[in-house]
Amino acid sequence: MTTDDYNRKGEKFLELFNKGKEFTEELLRENQRLRYRLASVEATGAPSANQEEIQQLRAQMQVLADENRRLHERFREVEEENKDFATRYVEIEEQNNNLANLYVASYQLHSTLDFREVIQIVQEIVINLIGAEAFAILLLDEKTNELRTIACEEEAPWTGLENLTVRWGEGVLGKVAKSGEAYYVNQDIEGGEITLEKPLAAVPLKIKEHVIGQIVIYSLLQQKDSFSAVDYELFSLLAAHAATAIFSSKLYSQSERKLNTIQSFLDLLTTT
Amino acid sequence: MENTTFLVVEDSPTMRQLISFSLKRFKNARIIEAVDGVDALKKLSGERIDLILTDINMPVMDGLKLVSLVRQNAQLQNIPIIIITTEGAEEDRERGLALGANAYISKPIQSSHLIKTISELLSTALG
């Protein structure tokens, strides 16, 4: 190797060394710049790109959480409304059922002028719609001022209903007839045992304030524990409608009898 | 459950009317009435019936006999039957169901309960 070769190698090495030096200086400058940037970021507290994203996401999460809470509240409200509607639906169903019973009862009571048929219909209503097992229908005999059984349904131990006689104003039944106010044992402050004189219910049959009889109930069908709301409505309906139906059918049969008598009398006159 | 034909077997006109009134909830329901078991069998021979509602205590032929005869008849045996009666004892219920009734309802009836029972039976019958 000649001296020139050594010189060329030395120059190349120097050139490399200078480039390395420049690179090192550049790295030091960048390092310093980053340190400065870091220091300034730490000093100002400004978020980095990631932190901004995190904060945006946190904000979105908060919005979603609020929305979720709002929806939960709305859901609870709707659930409450739904319960209210369900309750209302049941009430309307019950009301519908009650109205159907009342409609059918009044329709049937006024469907005939035959006295026996009217009594039969009253019995059907008391058995099928109210659910009575033992009961009696009493009518007032204005001559003796006594109420007497004209129809009944007996079921042990309730026997003797066929021959019930009640003096106007005497005992529970007599007082019901006199006052025109219905009697229910569950509303009786004295309560006590059910007897022939103190039944489960006694409903006066009234035309305006004029009492013509009463329906007396002693026991209910075994599947029925007590009177329901519609039963009291039916009792009110029976008190008025059964009374007019019984009264008008009675008048009709009496007038028919009189008409027949007069007709026979006229026939007799014309033939002689 | 449209265009359903019901046969109401009941000797009491009041109950027939009340049941028929409840059945009008079914769209285009056709209601045929019979006053006892014999009358019901006559109506069954001339009509296509989808469901029978029968009382137990009736003159001429009672409801239990009617249920039994319907179940023995090849043409009628699949018709759903509901017994509606004042007889509320458990043994009466068991007897009615054992004879082939699909449901047993004690009087006084709740219209909503009757409708629910009928809907369930018709759904089952229609598959």
Side-chain angles (χ1 to χ4, degrees), chain A residues 10 24 30 32 53 61 78 89 91 94 98 112 134 136 151 156 178 197 239 256:
Chain A
T24 307
E30 181 64 17
Q32 199 173 1
E53 208 172 320
M61 272 172 64
V78 170
Y89 178 78
E91 285 170 5
E94 201 178 319
N98 297 352
T112 179
K178 192 179 177 184
E197 290 75 34
E256 262 209 329

Side-chain angles (χ1 to χ4, degrees), chain A residues 89 93-94 96-97 99-101 103-105 107-108 121 124-125 127-131 221-224 230, chain B residues 10-15 17-18 21-22 25 85-90 92 106-113:
Chain A
Y89 178 78
E93 272 283 319
E94 201 178 319
N96 191 35
N97 189 50
L99 288 172
N101 282 356
Y103 165 77
V104 169
Y107 183 94
Q108 287 295 328
I121 290 165
E124 282 181 13
I125 292 168
I127 296 170
N128 294 308
L129 272 58
I130 292 172
L221 294 169
Q222 72 172 96
Q223 61 269 25
K224 180 153 176 150
V230 70
Chain B
E10 170 68 73
D11 60 327
S12 155
T14 310
M15 275 311 289
Q17 195 186 13
L18 185 65
F21 197 83
S22 299
R25 295 259 206 103
T85 178
T86 51
E87 309 296 332
E90 193 49 39
D92 293 318
S106 301
K107 293 178 190 172
I109 56 165
Q110 279 293 315
S111 185
S112 51
H113 177 52

